[in-house]
């Protein structure tokens, strides 16, 4: 889930709508609303945040450090001023990245993935894997071939890749896919999404990549060591690979 903080309601609505169309759940706050939420949010709610997008607000200089005290999610400042002084001030305030608007939302998704990747460090030979997931709206690849998925199944796969080898609950997946403020759908919808995704992965991989356990949840478990031939130029793509160290829950959302 992405959280947009901007005192202009039209701006937050625009970003929320755009992210939902990209399959990513999001919510917009004014700076005052966000401050109240940040102080009272539970640890599980904060863990569902993929990134904070910080727009135009009076408290932009102080908010990043307050965010960092409660969450390790990337903080990206969106600036309409292409001035060095303004950019440096934003970095000094504690943000992880500064982007200048207008900007395509897929670039923001890619930058978020890149920040998370840098935090855990790069492992050598990233092509040594069976599955590659991109966090910029691009279809995942299995053995070098694209696997087209509906938005919510893609979002679930992204979340499980980020937590490869770990058990994740239905609630965690629901929060990642639908957002913590979703009241329209019930958590049981996750069972259907995971079942469909599990079958598609099994058909392509030849084994069950998603392990399900009652009362525990789901775990993505793909053995390491299987080599695929990926052209070197493709390694420039922004992606997070299963044989890479994994980030904290990067809860990624979607639309139906």
């Amino acid at each position: 889930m992405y959280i947009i903080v901007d005192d202009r309601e039209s701006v937050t609505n625009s970003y929320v709508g755009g992210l939902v169309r990209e399959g990513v759940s999001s919510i917009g706050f004014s700076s005052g609303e966000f401050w109240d939420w940040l102080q009272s949010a539970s640890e599980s709610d904060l863990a569902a945040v993929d990134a904070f997008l910080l727009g135009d607000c009076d408290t932009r200089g102080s908010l990043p450090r307050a965010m960092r005290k409660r969450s390790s999610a990337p903080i990206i400042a969106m600036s309409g001023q292409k001035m060095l002084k303004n950019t440096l001030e934003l970095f000094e305030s504690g943000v992880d990245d500064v982007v200048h608007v207008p900007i395509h939302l897929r670039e923001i998704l890619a930058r978020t993935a890149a920040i998370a990747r840098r935090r855990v460090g790069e492992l050598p030979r990233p092509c040594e894997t069976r599955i590659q997931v991109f966090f910029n709206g691009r279809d995942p690849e299995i053995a070098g071939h694209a696997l087209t998925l509906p938005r919510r199944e893609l979002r679930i796969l992204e979340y499980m890749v980020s937590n490869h080898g770990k058990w994740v609950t239905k609630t965690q997946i629901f929060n990642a896919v639908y957002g913590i403020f979703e009241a329209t759908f019930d958590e049981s919808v996750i069972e259907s999404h995971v079942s469909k995704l599990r079958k598609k992965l099994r058909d392509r991989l030849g084994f069950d990549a998603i392990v399900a356990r009652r009362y525990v949840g789901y775990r993505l478990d793909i053995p390491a060591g299987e080599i695929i031939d990926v052209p070197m130029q493709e390694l420039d793509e922004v992606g997070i690979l299963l044989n890479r160290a994994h980030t904290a829950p990067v809860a990624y959302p979607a639309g139906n």
Side-chain angles (χ1 to χ4, degrees), residues 149-168:
L149 296 173
R151 291 182 301 168
R152 284 186 172 140
E153 290 177 32
L154 172 59
R155 199 55 208 92
I156 290 172
L157 179 60
E158 290 174 340
Y159 183 70
M160 298 193 79
V161 164
S162 300
N163 293 276
H164 181 240
K166 301 177 183 177
W167 288 102
V168 291

Side-chain angles (χ1 to χ4, degrees), residues 47-65:
V49 177
D50 292 320
F52 299 99
L53 304 184
L54 188 55
D56 188 9
C57 55
D58 293 337
T59 56
R60 185 158 67 173
S62 58
L63 272 179
R65 288 187 172 82

Side-chain angles (χ1 to χ4, degrees), residues 2-253:
Y2 278 63
I3 291 183
I4 301 96
V5 184
D6 197 299
D7 286 336
R8 300 164 297 176
E9 185 177 359
S10 60
V11 173
T12 59
N13 289 342
S14 176
Y15 277 102
V16 168
L19 285 165
V20 169
R21 287 191 293 273
E22 291 294 334
V24 179
S25 69
S26 60
I27 187 169
F29 287 111
S30 67
S31 56
E33 292 170 336
F34 175 73
W35 180 261
D36 292 340
W37 176 81
L38 184 65
Q39 303 310 305
S40 60
S42 67
E43 293 299 322
S44 60
D45 285 351
L46 288 164
V49 177
D50 292 320
F52 299 99
L53 304 184
L54 188 55
D56 188 9
C57 55
D58 293 337
T59 56
R60 185 158 67 173
S62 58
L63 272 179
R65 288 187 172 82
M67 295 174 180
R68 187 57 67 231
K69 288 180 180 179
R70 297 226 56 202
S71 172
S72 60
I75 304 170
I76 300 177
M78 301 181 295
S79 174
Q81 296 179 304
K82 292 187 177 182
M83 298 171 55
L84 177 60
K85 180 177 181 293
N86 177 258
T87 300
L88 294 178
E89 287 175 350
L90 288 170
F91 276 116
E92 289 170 1
S93 73
V95 304
D96 296 298
D97 198 2
V98 178
V99 299
H100 295 99
V101 294
I103 182 173
H104 199 288
L105 287 172
R106 288 193 177 184
E107 181 176 339
I108 291 178
L109 299 180
R111 286 175 178 270
T112 301
I115 292 168
R117 188 173 64 250
R118 288 196 299 268
R119 285 180 177 172
V120 299
E122 299 282 357
L123 294 180
R125 297 181 61 81
C127 60
E128 295 180 8
T129 183
R130 284 291 303 276
I131 182 169
Q132 186 173 17
V133 174
F134 307 92
F135 290 85
N136 58 2
R138 176 178 165 181
D139 288 332
E141 294 182 359
I142 294 179
H145 299 284
L147 173 65
T148 302
L149 296 173
R151 291 182 301 168
R152 284 186 172 140
E153 290 177 32
L154 172 59
R155 199 55 208 92
I156 290 172
L157 179 60
E158 290 174 340
Y159 183 70
M160 298 193 79
V161 164
S162 300
N163 293 276
H164 181 240
K166 301 177 183 177
W167 288 102
V168 291
T169 67
K170 184 165 61 177
T171 299
Q172 287 176 306
I173 297 174
F174 182 86
N175 289 344
V177 174
Y178 288 89
I180 59 177
F181 300 98
E182 175 58 59
T184 306
F185 297 93
D186 185 82
E187 285 185 7
S188 60
V189 72
I190 294 300
E191 297 173 7
S192 174
H193 290 319
V194 172
S195 177
K196 293 174 183 176
L197 174 62
R198 190 180 187 187
K199 181 180 185 302
K200 292 171 185 176
L201 292 177
R202 182 171 61 243
D203 290 344
R204 294 288 291 271
L205 291 167
F207 61 89
D208 265 327
I210 297 177
V211 181
R213 182 174 296 175
R214 194 176 183 184
Y215 305 123
V216 177
Y218 303 95
R219 185 181 70 193
L220 185 68
D221 192 3
I222 298 181
E226 305 221 25
I227 311 297
I228 59 174
D229 184 19
V230 180
M232 289 302 293
Q233 61 267 28
E234 291 187 10
L235 301 184
D236 292 332
E237 292 283 355
V238 175
I240 292 184
L241 309 178
L242 286 180
N243 66 336
R244 181 176 292 162
H246 308 294
T247 64
V250 278
Y252 300 73

